[in-house]
Amino acid sequence: MTTDAETAVFEEHRPVLMGVAYRMLGRVADAEDVVQEAWLRWSAADRAGVREPPAYLVRITTRLAIDRLRQVKARGEAYVGPWLPEPYATDFGDTVPDTEERAVLADSVSLAVLVVLESLSPLERAVFVLREAFGYPYAEIATMLDRGEPAVRQLAGRARRHVDERRPRYDVDPAQRRDLTERFLAAAAEGDLAGLMDLLAPDVRLVGDSGGKAQAPLRILESADNVGRFLVAVGGKSVPDMSFRFLELNGGPAVLVLSGGMPDSVFQVDVSAGRISSVYVLRNPDKLRSLASA
């Protein structure tokens, strides 16, 4: 039987466990399932022998997430069109006061990084998340994963090189990103192609995720001309009872488009050298359910 104190310990660390699970899986529902399973393991464990509850809970969560990720990869699920992670609300508030730490956490959960993490092996992904996002020492990660420290260091180096080679470079100035997001939304909504062209980098990319369940490009669009014209065409189509809401998703500002008060799509941009370098459009209704109460 779990005491109130032991329940409180788990709840205290739930945000970290959810953060680990989501970065491992890129899916909110799967991450919630993993954290719930970790709670069941915690409830059934002989907690008298647990000297460091935080490390114990992270170890359980990480191993459960690895198992879930291996199951997904083994199924080889086909996905219609480009894939993006399920949007994840990230409001660090006062819990992460250090600016540099906030930037690291925000980057580790960004759409661009999570897309790259999909190409890592489950073990590489676990080591990268624990080391780069949460700063765990190699020795502690080795214990969590039941691996030798030299092997963990090799996994970390391989994962870091892979991510560094493939993730886009962008600016992390929150104020500039918010400003460009607002101007982008206004230009797209008004069908202002000239205004959009002023905001978009020449080599901008638009990644749309619909899973084949809504209208979105089934391939990545490239160049300011192609992206701008697509956005003007989309902006000209009416959405019933449309409204907008700004919120923080995956470490940065995003626009939630609502139809009749329900999520219709999410837009988010990355910024480089003062212009929009990437546009992400999420329209898969399965990935928007968690935002219904946002």
Side-chain angles (χ1 to χ4, degrees):
M1 182 175 178
T2 309
T3 66
D4 290 344
E6 289 160 344
T7 299
V9 167
F10 186 90
E11 292 303 321
E12 177 186 353
H13 299 292
R14 182 185 287 272
V16 171
L17 304 183
M18 187 66 189
V20 170
Y22 174 76
R23 286 168 174 80
M24 283 289 298
L25 299 165
R27 301 162 182 85
V28 174
D30 284 354
E32 289 174 341
D33 288 346
V34 161
V35 173
Q36 179 60 24
E37 179 62 27
W39 160 248
L40 295 176
R41 300 283 183 94
W42 171 250
S43 300
D46 178 9
R47 292 176 297 278
V50 178
R51 291 184 297 176
E52 296 289 341
Y56 177 85
L57 291 170
V58 170
R59 180 170 71 249
I60 293 174
T61 301
T62 301
R63 291 184 176 184
L64 289 170
I66 289 173
D67 290 343
R68 178 69 63 96
L69 198 55
R70 284 171 172 161
Q71 291 168 10
V72 171
K73 289 182 178 293
R75 289 198 298 264
E77 297 170 338
Y79 196 81
V80 178
W83 179 92
L84 288 171
E86 186 176 346
Y88 181 54
T90 50
D91 183 1
F92 300 124
D94 296 329
T95 60
V96 187
D98 183 78
T99 302
E100 184 175 350
E101 186 179 354
R102 290 170 70 95
V104 170
L105 284 170
D107 180 62
S108 71
V109 80
S110 70
L111 296 180
V113 168
L114 289 176
V115 167
V116 176
L117 293 187
E118 281 292 296
S119 59
L120 297 178
S121 73
L123 273 177
E124 288 172 338
R125 187 163 182 168
V127 171
F128 183 88
V129 167
L130 293 173
R131 178 65 182 173
E132 300 297 324
F134 295 95
Y136 283 99
Y138 289 114
E140 194 166 344
I141 297 173
T143 299
M144 290 180 181
L145 301 180
D146 196 22
R147 294 290 190 280
E149 186 174 338
V152 166
R153 288 180 178 274
Q154 285 187 337
L155 287 166
R158 190 160 60 238
R160 191 182 303 111
R161 287 192 298 273
H162 183 93
V163 173
D164 288 344
E165 288 169 0
R166 289 164 177 78
R167 69 172 155 191
R169 302 300 174 188
Y170 54 86
D171 302 334
V172 293
D173 182 344
Q176 182 187 52
R177 194 175 177 193
R178 171 68 184 239
D179 175 64
L180 283 172
T181 299
E182 292 178 348
R183 292 163 59 193
F184 164 82
L185 174 63
E190 294 169 6
D192 181 4
L193 180 59
L196 282 169
M197 296 298 285
D198 286 340
L199 301 174
L200 300 174
D203 58 350
V204 64
R205 302 166 76 249
L206 183 145
V207 184
D209 180 334
S210 69
K213 299 180 180 181
Q215 289 190 332
L218 293 178
R219 60 181 180 84
I220 296 174
L221 302 183
E222 299 181 331
S223 85
D225 184 64
N226 287 334
V227 172
R229 293 184 184 282
F230 168 78
L231 291 169
V232 167
V234 170
K237 296 180 180 179
S238 61
V239 175
D241 191 17
M242 182 173 63
S243 59
F244 302 97
R245 186 177 302 161
F246 279 90
L247 64 168
E248 184 175 291
L249 297 175
N250 295 83
V255 178
L256 173 62
V257 181
L258 301 149
S259 176
M262 296 302 294
D264 174 84
S265 52
V266 164
F267 286 81
Q268 190 172 58
V269 304
D270 283 338
V271 176
S272 180
R275 304 186 85 173
I276 294 173
S277 56
S278 298
V279 179
Y280 304 104
V281 184
L282 288 118
R283 298 215 63 221
N284 185 336
D286 295 340
K287 296 185 177 182
L288 299 176
R289 289 192 186 119
S290 63
L291 300 179
S293 59

